[in-house]
Amino acid sequence: PLLMVKPKILVVGSINYDTIYQDVLEEGVNDNGIVYKHYTTANGGKGANQARALALMGAYSYMAGCVGNDDYGHSQIAGLKEAGVNTDYIRVDDCLQTGQSVMLMRKNGTYIGANVLGANSAVLPALVENALQNEQFDMVVMQLEMPLDTVYHTYEIAAKKNIPVILDPGPPKSISLDRLKGIYIISPNEDETEGLTGIHIHNESDALAAAKRLLQKSNAEYVILKLGSRGAYYYDGQLGKLYLPYPVNAVDSTAAGDSFTAELAISLASGRPMDEAIQRANAAGAICVSRYGGQLSVPSSDEVNRFLSKNR
Ligand code: RIB
């Protein structure tokens, strides 16, 4: 049964100022000389996107992160507060710059991204420890745009407190999955899956092979692969299942994975069954990808509900 409680979820992760180049006018040669029609700037960072999405989706959303003492950092904190995110555990660092990310959109809505880590390098274990000591959380969600020590440490403290942890292992990199033994969910996209397993996903059997490898290495309860326009792939150690995507016109995939992860987290933390949680997460990703604007395009739970009633 769905618990109508409002779950309290801690997001540990990155806060970036995003610049997104949109609408390719001329293709260029070898990724060189591409000409775009326009760009947008937005608050971003995988952590902040997920924290904002969780607040819009109805969670008590808390964020542990770090920004620089600059205009970008101040505007990020203001934006998160306005969305209803608790920012008590966001530190303002006087020496570091707020993280930045530049994304070059391809015609199909996927992108090439480059990041400045900046103040995200100061998201240190002590900050997370403080949040986890002071508050009682129902779930922790984290990504990889911060020191890996913090990722491992966050998992250790949360595991001791029996708090389920979802890892969205972006951006793509190879990490020690054996430091996350027994984690609740690992949910990478295609590139991140390749970074963690070496397997490039061409088809469903590749997805199963990659999911098996991830599960073996981490002993996770569940692996949920975000396959973009091919949907999502679930694996629990026995059953593998492909969830088809909702058909939408993909224009900008920025924060689509973050919307997926946030909806997955709040659905499961609210007691929804896994099957429904994945369908809702797929819908949240689909809505986000169909509109421009990174963090501002993450959907609320009302939007997810409306979308699902139209797209049964
Ligand atoms: O997941 C999307 C995010 O990744 C962007 O907002 C960008 O800041 C990068 O962190």
Side-chain angles (χ1 to χ4, degrees), residues 2 11 39 56 60 63 69 113 243 259 269 271:
L2 181 58
V11 178
Y39 67 90
L56 296 186
Y60 289 113
M63 165 121 206
N69 193 0
Y243 287 77
S259 304

Side-chain angles (χ1 to χ4, degrees), residues 14 16 18 43-46 49 101 103 111 115 145 254-255 258:
S14 58
N16 294 331
D18 289 351
N43 289 346
K46 294 179 190 304
N49 296 346
S101 183
M103 281 154 285
Y111 60 79
N115 284 350
E145 282 178 333
T254 317
D258 300 328

